[in-house]
């Protein structure tokens, strides 16, 4: 099976932090475990809001969230399980980028830089803007991705 490069939106931290309930923590852990056991990788960039939330998660007081955070950090610092990009001095800009919500543009840029296979989000506004802009991003809602990922039917 080919390795996939995934850009995961910030929903991951809300789920792992327990903000979306205990079932959401379990769902996020299940996804991280699947990424860990498969040949897939998470793309991320230090200094972004995503990275800041990942590191804040380490200070969670909830035992399950702390364990999940340790799994996430094991993935992020394993060169076989992550793709780490350093911030560019010049911002990547393509015409359709203006249609992406400003707070999410770094995710779209990361997707392009990493040549990722999927962007996974729970943000309906982001999904609709990506689709309206006809951006060259394979974006999935979390539920779409979970369904595809665990059925084994997603294609590149």
């Amino acid at each position: 099976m080919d390795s996939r490069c995934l850009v995961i939106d910030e929903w991951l931290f809300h789920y792992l932090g327990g903000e979306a309930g205990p079932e959401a923590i379990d769902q996020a852990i299940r996804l991280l475990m699947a990424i860990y056991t498969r040949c897939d990788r998470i793309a991320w960039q230090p200094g972004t809001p995503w990275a800041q939330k990942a590191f804040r998660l380490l200070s969670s007081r909830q035992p399950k969230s702390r364990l999940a955070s340790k799994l996430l950090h094991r993935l992020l610092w394993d060169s076989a399980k992550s793709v780490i990009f350093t911030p560019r001095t010049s911002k990547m800009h393509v015409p359709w980028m203006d249609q992406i919500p400003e707070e999410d543009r770094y995710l779209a840029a990361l997707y392009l830089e990493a040549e990722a296979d999927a962007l996974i989000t729970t943000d309906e506004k982001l999904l609709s803007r990506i689709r309206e802009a006809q951006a060259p991003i394979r974006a999935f809602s979390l539920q779409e991705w979970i369904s595809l990922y665990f059925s084994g039917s997603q294609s590149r």
Side-chain angles (χ1 to χ4, degrees):
M1 177 186 291
D2 288 336
S3 173
R4 283 175 216 75
C5 181
L6 310 174
V7 173
I8 301 175
D9 196 356
E10 297 171 25
W11 63 265
L12 181 63
F13 311 113
H14 301 288
Y15 278 43
L16 292 176
E19 297 170 36
E23 298 84 22
I25 294 174
D26 293 340
Q27 185 178 48
I29 291 171
R30 182 175 172 228
L31 179 60
L32 290 176
M33 288 300 297
I35 292 168
Y36 189 78
T37 58
R38 297 178 187 202
C39 296
D40 296 336
R41 298 163 292 132
I42 297 173
W44 68 285
Q45 184 174 14
T48 62
W50 193 97
Q52 292 165 0
K53 289 180 182 183
F55 291 106
R56 262 188 298 220
L57 188 62
L58 278 172
S59 64
S60 174
R61 296 188 187 274
Q62 295 181 8
K64 199 170 197 177
S65 293
R66 285 187 60 77
L67 289 172
S69 177
K70 288 178 183 179
L71 171 60
L72 173 63
H73 284 272
R74 189 176 329 143
L75 285 165
L76 295 181
W77 295 109
D78 181 340
S79 62
K81 297 296 178 184
S82 69
V83 178
I84 304 171
F85 283 89
T86 54
R88 289 183 169 195
T89 53
S90 63
K91 299 231 184 236
M92 175 181 285
H93 188 77
V94 289
W96 54 263
M97 191 71 80
D98 291 336
Q99 296 178 53
I100 305 299
E102 188 172 348
E103 66 273 9
D104 295 319
R105 289 181 189 161
Y106 78 96
L107 293 168
L110 176 61
Y111 178 95
L112 295 175
E113 290 177 35
E115 298 179 359
D117 298 293
L119 185 150
I120 306 156
T121 185
T122 58
D123 185 338
E124 290 299 323
K125 180 180 176 184
L126 175 58
L127 273 175
S128 68
R129 293 283 180 86
I130 288 170
R131 291 174 181 156
E132 288 167 11
Q134 297 181 348
I137 295 175
R138 292 187 70 222
F140 298 87
S141 73
L142 174 60
Q143 295 313 316
E144 287 174 316
W145 183 255
I146 293 289
S147 176
L148 291 170
Y149 199 61
F150 290 105
S151 73
S153 65
Q154 76 274 16
S155 60
R156 291 179 77 52

